[in-house]
Every structure is written in C-alpha cells, then in structure tokens.
Amino acid sequence: MIPIISIVGKSDSGKTTFIEKLVPELVRRGYRIATVKHDVHGFEVDREGKDSWRHKQAGAHTVIISSPTKVALIRDVEKDLRLDEIRDKLVQDVDLILSEGYKKDVQPKIEIFRTEKHKELLCTKEDNLTAIVSDKEFDVGVSCFFLDDIKGVTDFIEKKFLKSKGEEEITLKVDGRTVPLKPFIRDFLLGSIKGMVRSLKGCEKPKKIEIQIEGE
Amino acid sequence: MIPIISIVGKSDSGKTTFIEKLVPELVRRGYRIATVKHDVHGFEVDREGKDSWRHKQAGAHTVIISSPTKVALIRDVEKDLRLDEIRDKLVQDVDLILSEGYKKDVQPKIEIFRTEKHKELLCTKEDNLTAIVSDKEFDVGVSCFFLDDIKGVTDFIEKKFLKSKGEEEITLKVDGRTVPLKPFIRDFLLGSIKGMVRSLKGCEKPKKIEIQIEGE
C-alpha cells in the first residue's frame, strides 16, 4: 500500500513552499511522488470548447486526456474523498503520496510551524502528528526539524515510511471497503493465493498480484 | 471489467459531436460514462502559479486536486497508454468507456462516416469494427445506423456491451500484466477465493472482491 503523509500547518505557514523543496529531494533519492491538494471551492482545469470539455458537458462522469508524456483525468465524486480513497481509486506507480492540508484525515502528518506567524501547533499526537518542521523546537513527543533541514526530514520520511518494504503485504477489499485481517487469516489468504498463482505458467515469481472478482 | 468502445472516423467526421449526443442518452438510461480523448501533441490543463502546478514543477509524478464535487489528476507516463492500461490505472466507478479516436487500439470500434466528406471506411472488421454510423448503408458484415439514430446505437451498445452483466468475472494481474485464465483455473481461483473471503465476518455476500499482494 502506498504510504500517505499530510503536510499540514495554519495558513501562510509555507506548506506549498515546503513541498516544493521536499519533492525534489525525494525524487533525487529515486522515489516517485504523488501530491494531493485539497480544493474546497471547486476548480476549473479544462478549457471551454475543447473536445474533452465537450465530453464533460455532455454528461460524462470521467474525462481523460491521454498523451505520450502525461495523462489528465477529471471525474465526478459524490463527496470529498478521504486520502485513502484517493489512493485506492486514482494513484498508481508512485512510492509516496504527500498531501497539502487534510488536517482532519487520519493519515500521518508533518506540521509546518513559524513562530512569527503562529502561537500554537495545529495538531497533536492524537491527530497522528509524526513530525514538526519549525524555527523552534517543541517537546511534544514527535521528531522536530528546522525549516531548512530538508535532508533531515527526507531521512525521517525515508526511514519511517519508505524503507519498510520487502515485507509481504496483502490488501483485501470487499465492495470497496478494506477488510481488516487478523494475522492467521492474513497468512492463510496470502499463502493460498500465492500458491495458486505460482502454479500458473509464467507466474512463478510474482512480485505483485492483483485479483478482482465481480458479479454474483 | 469495464467495456471500452472507440468512436473512430476520419477527421471532420463528427466524432465529438456524435459523443456529445451518445453520452446523454446513455446517462439517461442510468449508465455512468468515462470518455478518453487522445492528444498526441501534449496539453496544458493546470494553471501556472497554482499550488498544484507548483507541486508538478517541483517534480511530482502525479498531482491531484480534490474537491467535494470533482477530482482532477495529472500524471506522467513513459509512453502513450493503451486503452486497457488507461482503464486499469485510472478508471473506476463507471459502466462504459468511450474513446474518441484510438483507431490503432484493439478495442471494439464504431466508425462515423459521411459520404460528403469521405470516400471509404477507415476500419474493417479486422480492426474490430462493430458498427458504422453513417448517412449511407454498408454491406461489410457489421451493424449500420443512420447518423441521427442515437437511440438505435444506444440500444446496440446496451445489448452488446452493457447487458452481459450478472456473470461472474475474475481478473488476475501479476506484476501489472493480465494473466489469461483457462476455464478450469478460472473456476478454481474464483471458487477458492470467494470461499475464503465469504468465511470472513461481514463479507458473506461479496459483490466485488479486490486483493492486492506485494513484496516477496
């Protein structure tokens, strides 16, 4: 499962600027990054009159524009998606998702704090705060980094979120809902499915197995 | 698996206009539609200076903007994606994908043809042509509809691509590649996995099961 970290902070704390520094350092270390920006007001990304815009106006739920170097997608949603829903529905081929904002989501958070702008922290450990990036130190039981210590934050992210690979992971979703698995069930499902798949020609050493079953 | 139909035709045949009429009729009948537009020249959908644009400039592979009513995504790709890759990586929650263009893709095609503009058909049955929409009739072994017969085309699409539901389907992907399954293997995998999942609490009547296994 792709890990998610939310970069949070009060307005004007420099979240976007921080992400602009963090992403290149992660990319330099060989990771692929997805970012998520929350836009409560709605937005316009396609241009009136373009074919894709006409498709959307005609009532298409999802519109995709595909080119040899990038793909764009616009789709309807019925509600504000949680970050795990965004990951499950839309994100592939990356190592880490960084969101800007999403204070209320359950994902782990790094808070940006500036003494000249703010009086107190936005998040506590109960909000799943895992680190603070600030011009002062805090004693709240989470790692602290100075604002310009991009290397330190990246080391922290790498160690805590990116280096735990190698371990086998299984995710089971039934009707769109992730089903929590106890260790015995997890091992049983994992062993049975890997065993079955490995017996198929050309599938002897699977690194990633995806199965989808639909219909009654 | 979400069915895909490509609306093809020579330039100026009226593909976008046809899609603009077809989508509302499909939506009226209760289907959710995704459309795909091929853009060989690249495109610009985000605006300079916006936070999401800054994320992309910083080197993010994927950038997402999420609002309560719609979500937009822009991601890098290494090559022009095939329609089935677009479906597998990006499309969820729809009943049908309509592409504009994609003559060279293997998916089933409906060709738009106008005698005033064109001399001969762009596709043959070998290109997986399944219907022609035109101002004249063709005797090439596929269904023909007149340009204004949106109802007829929609009936055809509904019968051929959308009403085959109910049947159980299993898709297995190993390391990103879809593995073809012989009937015995298909039934064995389907039966075993459904049996295991059904024994879990709250999963007694699964309509859709998704399993992902990663790591060695």
Side-chain angles (χ1 to χ4, degrees), chain A residues 19-201:
Chain A
I19 288 174
E20 279 182 315
K21 290 178 188 160
L22 184 60
V23 170
E25 180 59 22
L26 285 160
V27 170
R28 200 185 63 74
R29 298 188 191 191
Y31 300 105
R32 277 191 180 170
I33 310 300
T35 65
V36 180
K37 169 80 189 175
H38 204 184
D39 190 326
V40 287
H41 307 297
F43 53 86
E44 215 50 69
V45 284
D46 208 357
R47 246 166 273 149
E48 199 173 324
K50 281 185 62 178
D51 291 348
S52 48
W53 181 88
R54 288 170 63 188
H55 294 176
K56 193 87 193 70
Q57 289 299 110
H61 171 272
T62 300
V63 169
I64 289 163
I65 312 167
S66 177
S67 87
T69 57
K70 57 186 170 175
V71 173
L73 170 148
I74 302 167
R75 60 159 284 171
D76 295 337
V77 288
E78 273 137 41
K79 59 170 184 72
D80 233 336
L81 298 182
R82 295 190 312 269
L83 290 167
D84 63 331
E85 292 172 318
I86 290 175
R87 170 182 60 202
D88 295 348
K89 281 179 191 290
L90 292 164
V91 183
Q92 287 222 356
D93 306 328
V94 305
D95 302 295
L96 176 70
I97 298 171
L98 291 174
S99 79
E100 184 172 330
Y102 285 90
K103 176 200 172 300
K104 287 178 189 158
D105 208 288
V106 297
Q107 302 298 330
K109 291 169 190 68
I110 296 178
E111 176 164 350
I112 316 295
F113 184 96
R114 284 171 200 274
T115 41
E116 47 161 352
K117 305 252 183 191
H118 314 115
K119 288 225 168 101
E120 49 191 43
L121 286 168
L122 185 68
C123 294
T124 67
K125 273 185 91 168
E126 283 67 55
D127 299 311
N128 205 356
L129 183 67
T130 56
I132 298 167
V133 176
S134 174
D135 47 7
K136 76 168 216 180
E137 288 201 59
F138 285 88
D139 186 17
V140 290
V142 305
S143 305
C144 286
F145 301 93
F146 283 109
L147 283 161
D148 56 0
D149 187 12
I150 296 298
K151 189 187 163 301
V153 179
T154 312
D155 288 345
F156 172 81
I157 290 174
E158 202 168 21
K159 197 171 161 199
K160 193 168 162 97
F161 296 94
L162 296 164
K163 284 278 166 80
S164 59
K165 292 240 171 138
E167 208 178 289
E168 277 186 326
E169 241 188 283
I170 178 164
T171 319
L172 168 68
K173 283 201 277 179
V174 173
D175 300 331
R177 189 176 60 88
T178 301
V179 179
L181 297 173
K182 290 186 181 161
F184 168 75
I185 304 287
R186 176 193 166 281
D187 292 348
F188 180 67
L189 268 177
L190 199 59
S192 312
I193 293 169
K194 282 194 85 161
M196 288 190 278
V197 169
R198 272 190 183 140
S199 71
L200 301 176
K201 210 178 156 182

Side-chain angles (χ1 to χ4, degrees), chain A residues 188-189, chain B residues 189-200 206 209:
Chain A
F188 180 67
L189 268 177
Chain B
L189 268 175
L190 198 60
S192 312
I193 293 169
K194 283 195 84 161
M196 289 190 278
V197 170
R198 272 191 184 139
S199 71
L200 301 175
I209 300 172

Side-chain angles (χ1 to χ4, degrees), chain B residues 42 50 68 114 136 156 175:
Chain B
K50 281 185 62 178
R114 284 171 200 275
K136 76 168 214 178
F156 171 81
D175 299 332

